[in-house]
Amino acid sequence: MTYWKAILLGLVQGLTEFLPISSSGHLSVFQYFMGNSGDDVLLFNVLLHIGTLAAVFLCFRQTIWHLILEAIAFLKDIFTGKYHIKTIREDFRSLNDKRKMLIYFVVSCVPLLFMLLPAGGGENVMDKLSVFSTDTSILAEGFCFLFTGALLILGAMRAQALRRYRKMDFFSALMVGVAQLFAAALPGVSRSGSTISAGLLCGVSKNYMVQYSFILGIPAILAANLSELKDAVELGSNLTAGPAIVGILTAAVSGVAAIVFLRWILKKDLFRYFGYYCVALGVFCIGVTVFSKIIA
C-alpha cells in the first residue's frame, strides 16, 4: 500500500460513505483496477471506516451527545422504577422523540444479529460473506450496485408521490434494519442509500431518515469493523503505519466534505440521480467481468 493509493482510497471511502452509492463497493472496484486484494485490503478498509466514523462524530456531535445523555437518563428511569417494559409499551406515545429514536435504533439493529449466526467451519455469516470484499472479481459488486440503484430510484419516487409523511414506527425501524443488514453483508449495497430508501418506502420523511441513518450507522459500523479487525489481525498484515494514518486522515477530511455536500443536495432532491449512477456502475462492473472472462 503506497501513499498515493492510501490517499486515493481514503478519498473514495470518505466521499462515498455518506453519499448513497456504497463506499465498500467503490473500494472494491478501485482495488480491483489497482490490483489490491487480500488481508491488507481487509485491514485497510477497517481503518478507513474509522476515519469516516470520526467525521460522523465531528459533524453530528451535538445530536450524538444529546442522545447519549438521553440514553443514560432513560436507563436511570428504568432502574429506579419509573419505567418498566409494560409501562413503556402502554405509554410509548408519551415518550419524547429522542427516547423513541433510541428504541427504534435497537429495533433496527436486531437484524444485524443474523450476521453472527454460525455458518460452519468455525465461521459466522459475516466471515463467509467477507469473501466478496477481498476477492479479485467485481461481479457481485455489479449486481449489488444494481440493487442499490433500484432502491434509490424507488425511494425517491415514493417520496415524491407522498403528500403527507408518517412518523417512524416499529415496522419502519425493522425494515430499515433489514436494509442495513444487506448493506453490512454485501459490498455495493449502500448502507445510507438502502436505509434511507427503506424509510422513504415506508413513508417516513427524508429529513428524518437522513439523520436516523447516519446515527444508526455508528454502532453497526463499529460492530462490523471490530469483527473484521479481529480477523485481519489473526490473518496478519504487511500494512505499514504511514499509509494507514494518511488514509484515515484523508477519509475523515473527505467525509466531512461529503456530509456538507449531502446537506446541500437534500434541498435539491437529487437522490434519484444517485440511483441512475449506481445502475450505470453496476452494468459497467458486470460488463467488465464478463469481458475479462471472454478474453481470458
Side-chain angles (χ1 to χ4, degrees), residues 2 17 22 36 59 64 113 115 126-127 130 139 149 188 207 215 219 238 242 246 248 270 281 290 293-294:
T2 61
E17 177 69 31
S22 177
N36 292 103
C59 293
I64 294 171
L113 297 177
M115 300 292 287
M126 180 180 293
D127 296 328
S130 64
L139 181 62
N207 290 335
I215 299 175
N238 296 319
V246 170
I248 292 172
L270 299 176
L281 183 57
V290 173
K293 295 293 185 182
I294 293 176

Side-chain angles (χ1 to χ4, degrees), residues 277-289:
Y277 167 79
C278 287
V279 170
L281 183 57
V283 172
F284 170 76
C285 291
I286 296 172
V288 167
T289 303

Side-chain angles (χ1 to χ4, degrees), residues 231-242:
D231 294 337
V233 171
E234 290 177 351
L235 290 172
S237 173
N238 296 319
L239 185 65
T240 56

Side-chain angles (χ1 to χ4, degrees), residues 96-169:
N96 62 52
D97 290 339
K98 287 187 176 61
R99 294 199 176 187
K100 288 182 179 179
M101 181 178 283
L102 289 171
I103 295 175
Y104 291 143
F105 283 157
V106 174
V107 174
S108 293
C109 287
V110 168
L112 290 176
L113 297 177
F114 172 80
M115 300 292 287
L116 302 178
L117 294 177
E123 295 182 323
N124 56 32
V125 175
M126 180 180 293
D127 296 328
K128 292 292 187 181
L129 294 176
S130 64
V131 65
F132 293 117
S133 298
T134 57
D135 62 9
T136 57
S137 171
I138 53 174
L139 181 62
E141 285 84 348
F143 285 106
C144 290
F145 277 126
L146 292 180
F147 177 74
T148 297
L151 271 181
L152 291 173
I153 295 171
L154 291 174
M157 292 173 59
R158 170 68 169 165
Q160 291 180 345
L162 286 176
R163 295 184 178 181
R164 185 176 182 180
Y165 293 111
R166 60 186 295 182
K167 292 185 177 181
M168 175 69 78
D169 55 21

Side-chain angles (χ1 to χ4, degrees), residues 46-65:
V46 172
L47 296 177
L48 291 183
H49 277 93
I50 293 175
T52 50
L53 279 176
V56 174
F57 278 102
L58 179 62
C59 293
F60 296 96
R61 57 189 180 278
Q62 292 184 346
T63 302
I64 294 171
W65 178 245

Side-chain angles (χ1 to χ4, degrees), residues 7-244:
I7 293 173
L8 179 59
L9 293 175
L11 283 171
V12 173
Q13 168 65 27
L15 294 175
T16 58
E17 177 69 31
F18 303 109
L19 301 180
I21 53 178
S22 177
S23 61
S24 61
H26 278 76
L27 283 174
S28 293
V29 173
F30 271 77
Q31 289 159 356
Y32 172 82
F33 285 105
M34 291 193 302
N36 292 103
S37 62
D39 302 335
D40 287 348
V41 168
L42 180 60
L43 177 58
F44 193 69
N45 287 353
V46 172
L47 296 177
L48 291 183
H49 277 93
I50 293 175
T52 50
L53 279 176
V56 174
F57 278 102
L58 179 62
C59 293
F60 296 96
R61 57 189 180 278
Q62 292 184 346
T63 302
I64 294 171
W65 178 245
H66 291 158
L67 285 172
I68 291 173
L69 293 178
E70 190 63 41
I72 294 173
F74 195 16
L75 290 174
K76 179 181 178 181
D77 289 341
I78 292 175
F79 285 113
T80 56
K82 183 176 180 180
Y83 291 118
H84 52 78
I85 299 300
K86 184 178 180 180
T87 303
I88 294 174
R89 184 174 66 250
E90 293 178 348
D91 301 331
F92 183 77
R93 293 184 179 180
S94 65
L95 299 178
N96 62 52
D97 290 339
K98 287 187 176 61
R99 294 199 176 187
K100 288 182 179 179
M101 181 178 283
L102 289 171
I103 295 175
Y104 291 143
F105 283 157
V106 174
V107 174
S108 293
C109 287
V110 168
L112 290 176
L113 297 177
F114 172 80
M115 300 292 287
L116 302 178
L117 294 177
E123 295 182 323
N124 56 32
V125 175
M126 180 180 293
D127 296 328
K128 292 292 187 181
L129 294 176
S130 64
V131 65
F132 293 117
S133 298
T134 57
D135 62 9
T136 57
S137 171
I138 53 174
L139 181 62
E141 285 84 348
F143 285 106
C144 290
F145 277 126
L146 292 180
F147 177 74
T148 297
L151 271 181
L152 291 173
I153 295 171
L154 291 174
M157 292 173 59
R158 170 68 169 165
Q160 291 180 345
L162 286 176
R163 295 184 178 181
R164 185 176 182 180
Y165 293 111
R166 60 186 295 182
K167 292 185 177 181
M168 175 69 78
D169 55 21
F170 286 103
F171 176 77
S172 301
L174 182 60
M175 292 300 99
V176 170
V178 172
Q180 183 171 237
L181 171 63
F182 280 99
L186 301 170
V189 179
S190 167
R191 195 202 62 79
S192 62
S194 60
T195 52
I196 292 173
S197 296
L200 294 178
L201 289 171
C202 291
V204 183
S205 72
K206 180 172 59 180
N207 290 335
Y208 183 91
M209 281 311 308
V210 169
Q211 182 186 44
Y212 188 88
S213 173
F214 280 131
I215 299 175
L216 174 65
I218 294 175
I221 294 174
L222 279 175
N225 284 349
L226 286 174
S227 176
E228 291 182 351
L229 180 61
K230 176 178 176 294
D231 294 337
V233 171
E234 290 177 351
L235 290 172
S237 173
N238 296 319
L239 185 65
T240 56

